[in-house]
């Protein structure tokens, strides 16, 4: 039976230091430290990240492949845990925020937007310590247009008992085709050996960077299905599907659909209700071919030998999901959110089929395409003109005075006041609540934190580790009153130990 | 069906930048969007980095995950 699709999003942001030290690691550290000190009044080293359970080299297929470049855990970089339950750190020369664990797509949107606002606030605070004329500019995108990519990953809780091969075969068609509504759009082509202007505009930031169907790497030879087996919770019961194939979205609707549709399909795989019907013959060439054709007409070859368009595959997945919603219900992705996602998914496919431009307020690649083609027409710009690439990059610029995405009228799904609250408050419905509340209330007594534990130092005793191996325990329902009643961490640990 | 007709017409046309101009803007929403676009482009012209070439060239990132 499907289990609740606890999920999260991790975004590596692009960073452009201007008029100051160009080193992106230095700049990322300065950015994060400015936020911690300026917005939170926290010293940098106050609460460290606890690396004890980080095993990014473990492979979900159950073996340790030779000659792969297993991701390294970088323990020396800035690494903070926030009171909203998120992790804010420097990863591979980029500032990165992993949002707290949430139970449905709408909450994923809320804390993803909160992360964006945390970055905006960080830019403002960094400005106060930088010399005149210098600034750190942050971009929520996934490529620099020169062949360098950085990720926006999703994570979904799954039942360990489900054969990994089934997950690989059945979710891949979605990962290859969902870009038609959650691609962030890109000017130019970054495939090695191809001319940049050969593809003037494509659906996805990331598609050019995928070279394998399945694998452990995340920084080179990127696979459509990433096999990193690092559950950050009870490894006997769960796996965390680490999805590296998505784009960072500026549109809330796009994030909502990206997470919402994927969560439903993963639940269906657990209930064996999806099937192998949409298995592709060549997923890697298909993901590129689909991205490279904004007319959405490209046909890709299925394992069965027939050809289908991305839209036809999406219609197939949607119809199966609608049936599943009726037969099984959607409680594991939240009943209300799940049915809303199904409705929007259908509306979006209809619009993509009849009039893609009508999605200029919902779908990032359409919104960007409209600007690019509009400006090209107005100024008679040819493919390769720097102004077209500038639009692409600046669409994701997080400075309010420069951001293009905030000017195109994107539909909002979450209230700005809720976004502000989510910058400091954790979700109430996952273990992130316990993490966030404890960090807020007992910052001096917590020496380390990570996804599945908190380590307290309450004085004379040895350090006390509180494990959080169940993502759905430690919610407000479970622990709010205990935390409310405990003035100190010692009292809290006493109450929890009873 | 208009959509299908256009599909066969453009299958061999790989030049994606041509497509926006050709894309059908038939619905009411489409018309409204088109009207908004001029105002929007005025604003974009104003906020777009002044030296686009220099900006695009300077935007270099280290590869990440």
């Amino acid at each position: 039976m499907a289990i609740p699709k606890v999920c999260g999003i991790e975004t590596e942001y692009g960073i452009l230091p201007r008029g100051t030290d160009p080193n992106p690691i230095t700049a990322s550290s300065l950015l994060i430290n400015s936020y911690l000190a300026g917005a939170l009044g926290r010293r940098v080293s106050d609460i460290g990240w606890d690396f004890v359970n980080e095993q990014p080299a473990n492979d979900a297929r159950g073996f340790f492949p030779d000659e792969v470049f297993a991701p390294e855990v970088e323990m020396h970089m800035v690494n903070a845990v926030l009171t909203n339950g998120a992790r804010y750190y420097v990863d591979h020369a980029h500032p990165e925020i992993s949002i707290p664990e949430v139970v449905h797509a709408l909450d994923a949107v809320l804390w993803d937007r909160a992360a964006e606002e945390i970055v905006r606030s960080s830019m403002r605070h960094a400005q106060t310590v930088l010399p005149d004329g210098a600034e750190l500019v942050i971009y929520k995108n996934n490529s620099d247009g020169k062949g360098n990519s950085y990720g926006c990953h999703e994570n979904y809780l799954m039942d360990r008992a489900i054969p990994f091969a089934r997950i690989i075969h059945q979710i891949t068609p979605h990962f290859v085709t969902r870009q038609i509504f959650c691609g962030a759009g890109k000017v130019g082509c970054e495939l090695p050996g191809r001319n940049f202007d050969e593809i003037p505009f494509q659906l996805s930031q990331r598609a050019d960077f995928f070279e394998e169907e399945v694998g452990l790497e995340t920084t080179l030879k990127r696979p459509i299905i990433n096999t990193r087996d690092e559950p950050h919770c009870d490894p006997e019961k769960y796996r965390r599907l680490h999805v590296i194939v998505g784009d960072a979205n500026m549109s809330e609707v796009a994030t909502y659909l990206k997470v919402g549709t994927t969560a439903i399909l993963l639940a269906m795989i657990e209930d064996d209700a999806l099937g192998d019907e949409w298995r592709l013959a060549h997923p890697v060439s298909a993901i590129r071919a689909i991205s490279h054709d904004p007319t959405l007409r490209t046909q890709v070859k299925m394992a069965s030998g027939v050809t289908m368009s991305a839209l036809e595959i999406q219609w197939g997945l949607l119809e199966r999901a609608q049936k599943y919603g009726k037969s099984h219900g959607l409680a594991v992705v939240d009943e209300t959110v799940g049915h809303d996602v199904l409705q929007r998914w259908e509306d979006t496919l209809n619009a993509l089929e009849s009039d893609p431009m009508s999605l200029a307020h919902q779908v990032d690649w359409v919104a960007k395409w409209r600007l690019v083609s509009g400006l090209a027409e107005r100024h008679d710009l040819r493919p390769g003109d720097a102004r077209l690439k500038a639009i692409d990059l600046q669409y994701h610029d997080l400075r309010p005075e420069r951001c293009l995405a905030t000017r195109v009228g994107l539909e909002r799904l979450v209230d700005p006041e809720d976004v502000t609250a989510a910058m400091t408050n954790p979700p109430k419905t996952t273990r992130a609540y316990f993490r966030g509340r404890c960090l807020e209330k007992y910052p001096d007594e917590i020496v380390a934190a990570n996804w599945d534990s908190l380590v307290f130092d309450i004085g004379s005793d040895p350090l006390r580790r509180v494990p959080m191996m169940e993502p759905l325990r430690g919610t407000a329902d479970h622990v709010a009153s205990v935390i409310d009643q405990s003035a100190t961490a010692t009292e809290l640990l006493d109450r929890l130990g009873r | 069906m208009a959509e299908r007709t256009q599909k066969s017409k453009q299958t061999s046309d790989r030049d994606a930048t041509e497509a926006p101009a050709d894309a059908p803007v038939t619905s009411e929403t489409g018309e409204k969007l088109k009207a908004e676009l001029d105002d929007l482009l005025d604003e974009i012209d104003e906020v777009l980095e002044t030296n686009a070439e220099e900006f695009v060239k300077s935007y270099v990132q280290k590869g990440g995950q």
Side-chain angles (χ1 to χ4, degrees):
Chain A
M1 232 178 76
I3 62 168
K5 285 289 146 281
V6 177
C7 55
I9 298 174
E10 2 164 352
T11 307
E12 289 179 330
Y13 294 85
I15 181 163
L16 185 62
R18 288 178 146 179
T20 180
D21 184 345
N23 183 317
I25 299 174
T26 314
S28 300
S29 305
L30 176 70
L31 181 87
I32 298 169
N33 287 335
S34 302
Y35 180 74
L36 298 178
L40 308 179
R42 207 200 265 180
R43 280 195 322 276
V44 177
S45 57
D46 278 356
I47 296 165
W49 185 259
D50 181 0
F51 288 95
V52 70
N53 284 332
E54 305 257 319
Q55 292 146 336
N58 282 9
D59 195 303
R61 293 164 294 184
F63 57 85
F64 298 85
D66 293 331
E67 293 178 41
V68 298
F69 293 85
E72 285 176 31
V73 177
E74 297 165 287
M75 301 177 62
H76 56 288
M77 306 258 214
V78 178
N79 211 322
V81 199
L82 306 180
T83 57
N84 72 353
R87 180 185 180 195
Y88 193 10
Y89 57 121
V90 183
D91 194 15
H92 295 273
H94 297 271
E96 172 161 350
I97 295 185
S98 301
I99 70 164
E101 306 90 326
V102 295
V103 293
H104 57 64
L106 194 59
D107 275 357
V109 172
L110 181 60
W111 270 275
D112 183 61
R113 283 281 298 109
E116 229 176 270
E117 294 308 322
I118 286 169
V119 173
R120 286 201 171 95
S121 171
S122 306
M123 282 196 286
R124 286 194 298 276
H125 285 287
Q127 202 64 53
T128 63
V129 297
L130 285 166
D132 279 354
E135 62 179 335
L136 302 178
V137 188
I138 310 300
Y139 296 80
K140 190 188 184 189
N141 63 1
N142 304 102
S143 120
D144 66 356
K146 297 166 187 71
N148 302 308
S149 184
Y150 32 99
C152 174
H153 300 174
E154 303 140 67
N155 298 291
Y156 301 90
L157 188 72
M158 294 198 72
D159 183 346
R160 169 70 59 175
I162 305 303
F164 196 68
R166 190 204 295 170
I167 301 173
I168 294 173
H169 293 144
Q170 299 190 352
I171 201 63
T172 296
H174 188 54
F175 287 170
V176 170
T177 56
R178 65 180 188 165
Q179 56 180 319
I180 64 174
F181 53 78
C182 57
K186 182 166 81 175
V187 169
C189 175
E190 292 178 280
L191 275 181
R194 297 277 291 273
N195 193 330
F196 181 82
D197 303 326
E198 215 172 300
I199 308 294
F201 190 88
Q202 60 174 304
L203 305 187
S204 160
Q205 294 260 305
R206 288 277 273 177
D208 286 340
F209 300 100
F210 283 79
E211 300 176 61
E212 305 276 349
E213 292 178 31
V214 186
L216 185 58
E217 288 96 339
T218 53
T219 57
L220 48 99
K221 282 171 50 184
R222 292 184 183 86
I224 293 170
I225 299 282
N226 182 246
T227 54
R228 182 183 297 180
D229 191 3
E230 199 181 15
H232 296 315
C233 55
D234 185 345
E236 305 283 315
K237 292 167 69 176
Y238 306 117
R239 72 168 72 250
R240 168 182 67 117
L241 186 68
H242 185 235
V243 179
I244 68 167
V245 76
D247 288 1
N249 290 109
M250 298 302 290
S251 159
E252 294 178 5
V253 176
T255 300
Y256 184 62
L257 282 174
K258 174 173 71 179
V259 174
T261 58
T262 303
I264 292 172
L265 292 171
L266 291 173
M268 292 166 66
I269 290 171
E270 286 175 329
D271 280 326
D272 211 0
L274 186 54
D276 285 322
E277 205 174 321
W278 296 280
R279 209 162 151 180
L280 293 147
H282 309 293
V284 174
S285 58
I287 199 171
R288 294 170 179 178
I290 290 165
S291 181
H292 291 175
D293 178 20
T295 70
L296 308 181
R297 290 174 179 84
T298 287
Q299 299 273 320
V300 293
K301 198 168 173 198
M302 310 301 286
S304 64
V306 303
T307 61
M308 292 176 86
S309 69
L311 256 171
E312 286 168 329
I313 294 169
Q314 280 293 318
W315 276 119
L317 297 173
L318 169 67
E319 280 160 26
R320 193 62 56 90
Q322 287 168 329
K323 266 189 205 158
Y324 175 80
K326 289 198 181 92
S327 61
H328 291 70
L330 294 171
V332 292
V333 297
D334 186 285
E335 207 68 60
T336 311
V337 170
H339 286 285
D340 186 55
V341 166
L342 286 180
Q343 189 56 55
R344 275 191 177 266
W345 190 0
E346 181 177 352
D347 295 345
T348 304
L349 295 186
N350 269 321
L352 284 170
E353 194 157 79
S354 61
D355 181 7
M357 275 302 177
S358 67
L359 291 169
H361 295 163
Q362 286 82 23
V363 171
D364 280 314
W365 73 262
V366 176
K368 190 186 282 182
W369 187 22
R370 184 163 161 255
L371 297 183
V372 168
S373 56
L375 212 78
E377 196 178 333
R378 172 179 280 203
H379 300 300
D380 197 21
L381 308 179
R382 311 310 304 163
D385 191 293
R387 278 169 286 182
L388 301 179
K389 189 63 194 173
I391 292 177
D392 177 354
L393 296 172
Q394 218 178 307
Y395 183 83
H396 306 271
D397 187 330
L398 291 187
R399 291 172 299 176
E401 69 276 16
R402 292 286 183 183
C403 184
L404 302 189
T406 52
R407 291 176 155 76
V408 299
L410 292 172
E411 181 182 346
R412 294 295 178 207
L413 297 180
V414 290
D415 190 314
E417 282 181 18
D418 292 340
V419 172
T420 304
M423 290 169 71
T424 47
N425 296 339
K428 290 183 172 162
T429 46
T430 67
R431 65 183 176 188
Y433 182 81
F434 181 73
R435 182 187 311 122
R437 282 290 315 275
C438 286
L439 283 163
E440 187 256 328
K441 193 159 181 181
Y442 320 109
D444 297 336
E445 291 151 299
I446 297 174
V447 290
N450 68 18
W451 298 115
D452 54 28
S453 68
L454 286 182
V455 180
F456 290 86
D457 181 354
I458 51 170
S460 52
D461 289 343
L463 297 182
R464 298 267 301 269
R465 177 185 298 277
V466 177
M468 301 185 286
M469 300 309 275
E470 287 291 337
L472 291 177
R473 289 179 65 181
T475 65
D477 280 352
H478 296 138
V479 298
S481 62
V482 180
I483 296 172
D484 289 342
Q485 288 160 28
S486 305
T488 65
T490 309
E491 283 178 47
L492 175 78
L493 294 176
D494 279 352
R495 288 201 168 88
L496 290 173
R498 272 178 216 154
Chain B
M1 227 174 113
E3 194 269 330
R4 299 288 173 203
T5 322
Q6 202 199 21
K7 187 175 196 161
S8 52
K9 192 184 83 193
Q10 289 206 344
T11 305
S12 60
D13 184 1
R14 301 286 306 164
D15 188 351
T17 50
E18 297 297 319
D22 292 345
V25 184
T26 48
S27 68
E28 210 174 299
T29 330
E31 288 297 340
K32 200 171 136 253
L33 288 173
K34 212 174 172 183
E36 282 170 16
L37 185 57
D38 266 341
D39 291 347
L40 183 57
L41 290 177
D42 288 344
E43 198 182 344
I44 300 300
D45 269 333
E46 250 168 56
V47 298
L48 202 61
E49 297 277 355
T50 39
N51 189 340
E53 194 130 359
E54 190 53 39
F55 162 56
V56 170
K57 210 198 282 179
S58 73
Y59 191 83
V60 181
Q61 299 290 308
K62 290 234 190 280
Q65 295 218 42

